[in-house]
Structure formats: structure tokens, C-alpha cells
């Protein structure tokens, strides 16, 4: 029997203050109460780095929620599993895994099965991706998705995180200047440059996602007089992760990646966001840049991609 979805608004919580705890234990919850969301974010910080993806998404949800993400828990207040995802009714294109993205954290892999099997939690009929920092969840995800006729592909990369910036970091960043270069946010029309160099991009759905990220979240582009496109860049996304970094080959080994990472990290730090990124195990250059800018390898970043067998070959 599938779990029942209960949506609590802030006003409902006030009206049902005396009975909400009993109802919270009966089924999956979509949290909308600001105080509950703040409490959840605070609790998730104690589970870093495993909870980074969900906690990062929560920061945007609490601020302005530009991607209109929903926050789902298996129970409250003693939750064991959390998912952040768009409303199911907004995931209208079954072939678009960039929109159909779920961020997952669980303290109970065994109990996670029931949570994931609820059709109000995950729409397994679509092409989708789930991101998290817990490789141990791979077995459960494969088991559940297989029951729903989905094929799973797993990407596991190195996860890097850094602590809050110190005054010394900010001093070093303020001394970075160049008469020839400008460091400014990316523009929407530059999304095609980012998309073409992004390992997870190079298609129309990813281009739309990159455009939304540039329009909405912090980004840095390095510009040089006489060059039409940015020569280096990085942006962030709806889980506050720093992503899509790239430097044109002709401008590598000049320290541009380190400067970009410092600048975009300072923006995240100023807003109270966790600062984290990932890179492939064989990308030694990116690993060196991350270490140079104060990031430490702290675990694994995982993306699980799913495609329904009924959709295979249709798109």
C-alpha cells in the first residue's frame, strides 16, 4: 500500500498545532512550514558531507525557491529520509532529466525503499536523475528502480568541500586584479559556451538548464578585451554546488580557475551556503585547483540516472 501525501502549509500548522505530530507519523510529508524547513536545514548540517545536496537545495528553498523545489520527508520530526525535487506536475517532459532532478539524503537505507516506492515521491515513468553524496544508497536505488522498469546508470566522482572563508582568504582575493581581464557574472546568451564544454551537457535540455542557472544563481565569467566569449567560467545551481567550470585551452595555467573558485566561493560564503564541488577521479588539474583554494576531498558525489524501459528509443 502506497504512502499518503500530506501537505502542510504554515497556516495549517498553526490551526492544527495540537494534532500535527500525530498526522506527521502517518505518511510522507511535503514540508512548507518555514520553521520546519529551517530546523531541517540545521539538522542536516550535522550530516555533512552526506547531506550536502539536500541541505544546499534547502538554502534556496528557504530564500526564494526560484526552482520551486518541494521538500519531502518520510516523517517529522524524526525523519530518516529527505528528498528535494520540483513538483510532479512541473516535471512534464519525460525525456528531460535536468528538470526531473531529485536530491536525496537518507539515514536509513532499508526504510528508504518504501519512501521511494510511493508514486507521489518519485515518478519512475520518466527519465530522471537523483543526486546525493551517499554511494551506499546505490543498491536500494537499483532495487526500487528495477521494480518500476527503469534502467540505472551511476556516476561517482570525488567530492570536495571547504570550511567558511577566513579573513586571510578574503584579503588574498581582494588583491587579485588585472588591467586586461574582467570578472563578471555570465550572461544568458553565453549559456551555449558553458553547455558545449560541460561534461553532463551538450544537448538541448542541458542548454535550457544552464540558461536557468545563469539567470538565477551566482556565476563568474572571465573576459578579455578583443575576445568575444568568456575565456573561463563557473556557475552554481539549485543545490548551491559550484559546477560547470572551464577554461579555454589557450588561457590555462594562468591561475584563472583558482581566481574564479575563490570569487564564487566568497559569494556562497557570504550567503551562508555550504561550499562544495566535484570532479572526476582522473582530473588531476581540477583537483589541484580545488586544493589550492582550500577545498578538501571529503567523500563521493554520486549521480544516478534512470530511464524507463518503456521510454527507451522514443526520444
Amino acid at each position: 500500500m502506497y504512502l499518503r501525501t500530506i501537505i502542510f502549509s504554515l497556516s495549517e500548522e498553526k490551526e492544527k498545532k495540537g494534532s500535527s505530530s500525530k498526522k506527521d507519523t502517518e505518511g510522507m510529508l511535503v514540508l512548507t512550514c518555514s520553521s520546519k524547513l529551517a530546523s531541517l536545514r540545521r539538522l542536516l548540517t550535522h550530516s555533512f558531507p552526506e547531506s550536502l545536496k539536500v541541505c544546499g537545495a534547502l538554502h534556496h528553498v528557504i530564500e526564494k525557491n526560484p526552482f520551486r523545489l518541494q521538500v519531502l520527508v518520510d516523517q517529522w520530526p524524526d525523519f530518516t529520509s529527505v528528498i528535494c525535487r520540483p513538483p510532479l506536475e512541473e516535471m512534464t517532459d519525460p525525456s528531460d532529466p535536468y528538470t526531473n532532478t531529485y536530491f536525496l539524503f537518507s539515514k536509513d537505507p532499508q526504510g528508504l525503499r518504501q519512501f521511494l516506492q510511493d508514486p507521489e515521491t518519485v515518478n519512475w515513468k520518466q527519465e530522471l536523475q537523483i543526486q546525493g553524496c551517499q554511494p551506499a544508497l546505490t543498491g536500494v536505488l537499483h532495487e526500487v528502480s528495477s521494480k518500476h522498469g527503469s534502467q540505472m546508470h551511476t556516476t561517482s566522482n570525488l567530492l570536495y568541500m571547504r570550511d567558511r572563508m577566513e579573513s586571510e582568504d578574503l584579503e588574498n582575493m581582494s588583491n587579485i586584479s588585472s588591467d586586461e581581464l574582467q570578472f563578471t557574472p555570465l550572461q544568458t546568451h553565453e549559456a551555449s559556451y558553458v553547455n558545449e564544454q560541460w561534461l553532463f551537457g551538450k544537448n538541448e535540455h542541458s542548454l535550457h538548464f544552464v540558461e536557468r542557472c545563469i539567470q538565477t544563481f551566482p556565476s563568474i565569467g572571465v573576459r578579455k578585451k578583443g575576445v568575444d566569449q568568456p575565456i573561463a567560467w563557473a556557475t552554481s545551481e539549485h543545490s548551491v554546488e559550484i559546477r560547470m567550470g572551464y577554461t579555454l585551452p589557450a588561457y590555462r595555467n594562468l591561475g584563472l580557475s583558482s581566481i574564479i573558485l575563490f570569487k564564487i566561493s566568497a559569494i556562497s560564503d557570504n550567503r551562508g551556503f555550504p561550499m562544495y564541488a566535484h570532479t572526476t577521479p582522473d582530473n588531476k588539474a581540477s583537483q589541484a585547483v580545488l586544493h589550492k583554494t582550500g577545498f578538501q576531498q571529503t567523500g563521493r558525489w554520486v549521480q544516478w540516472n534512470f530511464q524507463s524501459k518503456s521510454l527507451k528509443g522514443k526520444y
Side-chain angles (χ1 to χ4, degrees):
M1 183 175 67
Y2 288 126
L3 297 174
R4 178 167 55 89
T5 301
I6 308 170
I7 302 178
F8 280 98
S9 67
L10 181 57
S11 60
E12 286 174 324
E13 186 195 36
K14 290 179 179 178
E15 293 172 4
K16 303 178 181 181
K17 188 174 181 181
S19 59
S20 63
S21 294
K22 180 179 179 181
K23 289 192 174 184
D24 284 356
T25 62
E26 292 178 359
M28 181 270 287
L29 301 173
V30 181
L31 296 184
T32 60
C33 168
S34 57
S35 62
K36 287 184 178 180
L37 292 172
S39 295
L40 177 60
R41 179 175 61 178
R42 185 171 59 253
L43 291 169
L44 287 173
T45 62
H46 299 304
S47 296
F48 283 171
E50 289 83 2
S51 63
L52 273 171
K53 274 290 179 178
V54 169
C55 191
L58 261 174
H59 278 274
H60 283 315
V61 170
I62 291 171
E63 281 200 348
K64 296 180 180 177
N65 201 9
F67 274 42
R68 300 189 68 245
L69 299 180
Q70 292 182 324
V71 181
L72 285 62
V73 294
D74 56 345
Q75 57 191 19
W76 187 262
D78 300 319
F79 71 92
T80 62
S81 296
V82 189
I83 283 178
C84 291
R85 58 146 173 80
L88 293 178
E89 61 270 19
E90 289 194 6
M91 293 189 277
T92 56
D93 187 343
S95 66
D96 180 7
Y98 302 90
T99 298
N100 309 336
T101 295
Y102 299 66
F103 302 118
L104 171 65
F105 169 70
S106 181
K107 297 184 286 186
D108 179 18
Q110 301 306 315
L112 179 62
R113 285 183 178 84
Q114 189 177 16
F115 192 45
L116 294 173
Q117 287 171 352
D118 184 348
E120 294 298 319
T121 300
V122 179
N123 182 358
W124 293 106
K125 297 179 181 179
Q126 296 182 323
E127 186 171 345
L128 62 98
Q129 60 183 346
I130 298 176
Q131 294 180 18
C133 303
Q134 295 176 279
L137 300 183
T138 299
V140 174
L141 287 165
H142 182 263
E143 177 186 327
V144 174
S145 62
S146 295
K147 289 181 179 178
H148 290 268
S150 289
Q151 293 181 323
M152 184 178 82
H153 173 73
T154 303
T155 303
S156 179
N157 287 333
L158 303 181
L159 175 67
Y160 284 79
M161 184 182 181
R162 70 156 293 160
D163 294 329
R164 301 296 301 269
M165 290 193 131
E166 304 293 338
S167 56
E168 183 179 343
D169 295 318
L170 299 175
E171 262 181 48
N172 291 336
M173 191 183 68
S174 65
N175 293 329
I176 296 171
S177 63
S178 173
D179 295 334
E180 295 184 0
L181 302 177
Q182 288 185 322
F183 297 84
T184 59
L186 291 167
Q187 303 299 310
T188 306
H189 70 271
E190 296 169 333
S192 59
Y193 303 133
V194 179
N195 184 50
E196 283 305 309
Q197 302 300 336
W198 185 30
L199 183 63
F200 294 95
K202 302 178 176 64
N203 61 74
E204 286 300 314
H205 287 313
S206 63
L207 176 60
H208 177 61
F209 173 70
V210 173
E211 288 172 343
R212 291 184 71 189
C213 289
I214 290 175
Q215 290 170 345
T216 311
F217 305 119
S219 66
I220 299 288
V222 185
R223 308 173 196 283
K224 184 177 181 180
K225 291 179 182 179
V227 181
D228 292 336
Q229 70 180 89
I231 62 174
W233 57 77
T235 185
S236 55
E237 39 90 289
H238 47 335
S239 68
V240 311
E241 183 182 355
I242 301 168
R243 299 192 67 182
M244 308 177 210
Y246 186 78
T247 301
L248 297 180
Y251 300 95
R252 291 176 183 169
N253 301 315
L254 299 177
L256 296 181
S257 296
S258 298
I259 298 172
I260 290 172
L261 197 51
F262 259 128
K263 286 181 174 290
I264 201 167
S265 295
I267 296 171
S268 295
D269 186 60
N270 187 55
R271 296 175 66 176
F273 296 168
M275 293 171 284
Y276 69 104
H278 77 268
T279 188
T280 58
D282 61 346
N283 193 338
K284 303 303 181 183
S286 291
Q287 294 167 33
V289 169
L290 286 160
H291 281 297
K292 183 179 179 181
T293 49
F295 285 76
Q296 299 296 321
Q297 185 184 340
T298 186
R300 283 276 176 170
W301 175 99
V302 190
Q303 179 170 289
W304 300 275
N305 283 81
F306 304 89
Q307 185 179 44
S308 173
K309 293 178 183 177
S310 62
L311 292 177
K312 195 172 183 181
K314 284 189 176 183
Y315 303 99

